[in-house]
Amino acid sequence: MLSRAISGVRARMVGLRRVVPMAVFSSKATLEEFENNPKIPNSLKASDFMLYRHIGPNETESREMLKRMGLSSFKELIEQTIPSSILLNKGYLENSSAKIPLPAGYTESLVHERLRNIAKKNKIFKSYIGCGYYPSIMPQVILRNVLENPVWYTSYTPYQAEISQGRLEGLMHYQTMIAEMTKMDIANASLLDEATAGSEAMYMCYSIHDCAKKTFVVSKDVFPQTLAVVETRAKAVGVKVEVVDPETYDFAGNKDVCGVLLQTPDNLGRVKDYSEVIKKVHAAGAHVAVAADLMSLTLMKPQGEMDADIAFGSTQRFGLPMSYGGPHAGYFATKESLKRKMPGRIIGISADVHGKPAYRMALGTREQHIKREKATSNICTAQALLANLSGFYAIYHGPKGLHEIATRIYNMAQVAHHTLKKFNCRLITQEDEIFDTVAIDLKGTGKSADDLLRLFESREMNIRKIDDSTVSLSISETTTMADLHDLLSVFAEAFGFNGSVKDVMGLENINYLKPVPASVKRASNYLKQDIFNHIHSETQMLRFLYKLQQKDLSLATAMIPLGSCTMKATTTSEIAPITWPEFTGVHPYVPKDQAAGYLEMIAMLKDYLKNVTGYDEISLQPNSGAQGELTGLLTIKKYFECTGQAHRNICFIPSSAHGTNPASCVVAGMELVVIKCDSNGNVSLDDIKKRAKEYKDRLCCLMVTYPSTHGVFEDNIMEIIQVIHDHGGQVYMDGANMNAQCGLTSPGFMGADVGHLNLHKTFAIPHGGGGPGVGPIGVKKHLIPYLPSHPVTNPDRDNKSLGSTAAAEFGSAGILPITFVYLDALGKEGVRAATSNALLTSNYLMDRLKDHYKVVYTGSKGRCGHEFIIDMRPFKKHGVTEEDVAKRLMDYNFHAPTMSFPVAGTLMVEPTESEDLGELDRFCEAMVSIRREIQDVADGKLDKKDNPLKNAPHCLEHVTADEWKHKYSREKAAYPLPYIKERGKFWPTVGRINNLLGDKKLIPVEPDTYKCL
């Protein structure tokens, strides 16, 4: 019985396997001899198993919840929830395609020991590779108080702005920083990485011209990863990419060009002023996107001064570790006139009902889940946490500090250039083009790039191979003069220089350092706002960050029951490894032997995920759920292209689907056909059959979420899948609701061909206030050849790969240790128990609330999956809306459930397995109390306009004001139930925010004189 999974976990964790050979203990004794020996009393065994820490309800609470629902066991609940035809019984969580099975589960301390031993296999050499990734220094005050702080990493995307003012303020500072550094009018709140931002720039240029111009020009000297992602995205929608020398290209002669992508410093480290090129492009009627190194913009001419239309790049240099490729926030900015075409989220300033300034997400109708099939981007999750980290880096250093860091990098690069010139190296990067990188031409030297790389590796250094006869070095914030001396000494050895390197460097009487040439020098000031010019001591920064975190409701405060979002807790032991230097210090382009630890962990994680999903292979490249969707669709598309069926381009999507599904369909270049849902909210089998017959020659795939977006396990899913297969299509199973499947059923078992997972939902990576996320895809065997490749680390040698959809081969590799710890520690039984408890908590809440609110959809046996929808529409006749209920929940110390999705006028509730019975009951008490308030409005006991629902949330400033004009008490406003006083009140810092005002007068960047709220 699954209810015994928690209490009996020690006794049942038989056969703890060593997944890879490693010396965990110095003695010869094994775990099986002791920890898993049932004859040894539990009182002598380790107790820190993850299962106890992760799952909220204990055994007593689980029994009580089942009893209240009239159930005797988990087995009975599961049989009433999941169709018997898809239930896994024998052999669950096992997959012959996986070399490594899921373990039985480990203690938290042992998992850390196992992972530390793996991490030690990474070799941390001095990195001078560059190409968009550089060693950086995250200030400890930011690392400790933001990155490692659950208030920051467990919060959700700030849709409920009144309880999100801290991270919204942080993102506003970030946007201001980007707009200031690039000298553009408006910036968004981050994209997934630099290469993805480049592809979004391409699509934006394409959409600006109403998709009529189908040529996009890219400079031959952009980073290879950016070019690869741009080419992948362009091909999907039929845009031709021309790779050219922009200085000589005839823009006037090609009227089909929609846009141009340029880079500075470019792939060879050359700083460029593209002003004249941009004039030519504009004269030809096209638009220009320019990528730039953010640190370089403290010294060099920014995109806005060149009159670029779009500015993009990476914020990785602003305090973010390399972490084998990510996560890093991609930045994106544009002109005021193009703001409604810009992808991603925008933070703006509005005001609350009391006239107090307040932050909110602005221009929401631009977002892909609103625009659906009319979307010009499928961006959903971005990199909010990383954006905040970079913004705080800029605040802490200020413009003066950033200028000093950049100047030091620039001067050290000049020293390198001067010294290499003395070694008679043929330098590609000229002295008036330098920022941080020097490229060297090896032709005629008798040495290849590989020769030099081997020499440097023998000295525990890495330089970059650009091609067989070209190498480069890049200076970073972390480079010291001693490091530079050692680096140049290896070059001296390589080129036969026998003199004193130190003397050639001439540091003690240096006279060759030059200021930035006027031709590329920045003319404008930057970061003039107050926030960037006074918080520079650690005490100031600590208090600033603490002030912000107090404004936000996170999982550190209360349950966040957002349907379709799976806000489960991330344990501290899961997130701790992401800051280990063995993981943070690895450049994504190091030789594979230097990333042996990463590759071992990735191989194990992929096998764990194969076991959970039933797929035959996993790609970890997509760095968000939406990117997973796109990657999966492109995999299917490439499969049909390579099998002579490129004409198959019809994608079926149910009307209930999340907005990213139709958006991903559009940006994948497919044609959308919407499938109806029946009166019970299920995908209509009749409509599927009708449409499949109608489009049998062009059917590409069905995108289906399971359990459905309505929170129900549909009985006929196997039949739906079979209909698609019978008509030549593939089945894409959206993994948004995998938290209801793991260990009980799987996409592969049901017959799905491909699907993405949300590691930031089901597999414990926290949401970070709107990112980072990881959206890997799993595929069946026939689709493996078409999975993503990478131009640098995993080139497509047989022209079968779909291309690249992210900047790094393994996407956001730096946060994969979170999911590894989650699965390694929970193990086979723990994963199954987690899913069972997710079903338990959801059905328990539904059972308690169904007499107070109408539940919109249930399964054929009256149960829901891991989430359910309650109807607020009947209350509109009393003047009460779903928004009123959502805002009123803030007064009860809760974040609202998902509002008006997937059904307008409803709330979708998902508690997850992390929440204990006490928290679940408090939420029920709050919802029942709100229902009584609605009834009081209906009965005339509360005024229809002046009531606690309409005026919610009630902030401290308002409740404690001298004047109180409302027809209900202050206590009713702020302390409607006793538990709020007992547990401590969370105070929203603003009242209800005026959304219309914030869109009518968009303020996405702080004015020069603006004081932070």
Side-chain angles (χ1 to χ4, degrees), residues 554-780:
S554 70
L555 285 177
T557 313
M559 174 172 72
I560 301 178
L562 283 158
S564 192
C565 300
T566 314
M567 294 295 293
K568 67 172 64 181
T570 302
T571 65
T572 306
S573 63
E574 287 162 353
I575 204 162
I578 70 169
T579 58
W580 292 353
E582 297 95 334
F583 285 131
T584 60
V586 184
H587 192 288
Y589 299 163
V590 297
K592 293 192 182 300
D593 68 295
Q594 292 181 33
Y598 257 117
L599 295 175
E600 183 174 316
M601 179 196 67
I602 285 168
M604 293 172 68
L605 178 56
K606 287 169 70 172
D607 275 350
Y608 288 176
L609 294 173
K610 289 177 198 175
N611 286 309
V612 171
T613 62
Y615 290 125
D616 296 316
E617 187 55 279
I618 303 289
S619 170
L620 292 165
Q621 188 169 121
N623 46 14
S624 79
Q627 290 301 98
E629 291 176 13
L630 176 60
T631 305
L633 292 178
L634 293 179
T635 302
I636 295 171
K637 193 171 182 179
K638 188 68 175 181
Y639 162 73
F640 281 128
E641 179 186 314
C642 291
T643 55
Q645 302 177 79
H647 58 280
R648 290 189 174 272
N649 69 333
I650 297 290
C651 179
F652 289 175
I653 298 179
S655 59
S656 61
H658 192 282
T660 52
N661 284 184
S664 295
C665 168
V666 169
V667 297
M670 294 182 181
E671 186 178 328
L672 170 65
V673 171
V674 177
I675 301 298
K676 297 175 183 176
C677 289
D678 63 24
S679 58
N680 295 318
N682 300 321
V683 176
S684 170
L685 180 59
D686 289 340
D687 199 38
I688 283 272
K689 290 178 177 178
K690 176 185 173 184
R691 297 291 190 171
K693 186 176 180 180
E694 180 182 354
Y695 292 105
K696 67 181 187 303
D697 296 326
R698 294 177 57 207
L699 175 59
C700 179
C701 60
L702 164 71
M703 292 189 84
V704 61
T705 302
Y706 198 76
S708 75
T709 315
H710 292 144
V712 173
F713 283 92
E714 298 170 72
D715 292 334
N716 58 9
I717 185 64
M718 301 280 269
E719 191 174 354
I720 288 172
I721 290 171
Q722 191 60 51
V723 169
I724 299 301
H725 285 162
D726 288 346
H727 290 83
Q730 298 283 290
V731 174
Y732 181 102
M733 188 166 282
D734 186 312
N737 293 343
M738 270 298 294
N739 210 47
Q741 286 194 40
C742 297
L744 302 178
T745 186
S746 75
F749 178 73
M750 285 182 268
D753 301 288
V754 56
H756 82 275
L757 305 170
N758 290 312
L759 300 193
H760 51 288
K761 291 184 180 182
T762 310
F763 298 98
I765 290 176
H767 285 69
V774 179
I777 64 166
V779 298
K780 285 298 186 71

Side-chain angles (χ1 to χ4, degrees), residues 401-423:
L402 293 175
H403 187 274
E404 288 173 354
I405 293 169
T407 299
R408 182 169 168 274
I409 291 170
Y410 171 63
N411 286 337
M412 292 180 81
Q414 288 192 77
V415 172
H417 189 278
H418 166 85
T419 306
L420 290 169
K421 201 170 182 181
K422 294 290 185 181
F423 296 165

Side-chain angles (χ1 to χ4, degrees), residues 151 202 414 448 516 589 658 813 900:
V151 174
M202 178 278 299
Q414 288 192 77
S448 68
V516 175
Y589 299 163
H658 192 282
S900 288

Side-chain angles (χ1 to χ4, degrees), residues 149-176:
N149 184 341
V151 174
W152 287 94
Y153 66 71
T154 68
S155 58
Y156 188 63
T157 304
Y159 287 112
Q160 297 296 339
E162 292 86 353
I163 52 176
S164 308
Q165 288 296 294
R167 61 190 182 281
L168 282 167
E169 179 177 323
L171 291 172
M172 173 60 83
H173 299 327
Y174 167 85
Q175 286 180 182
T176 301

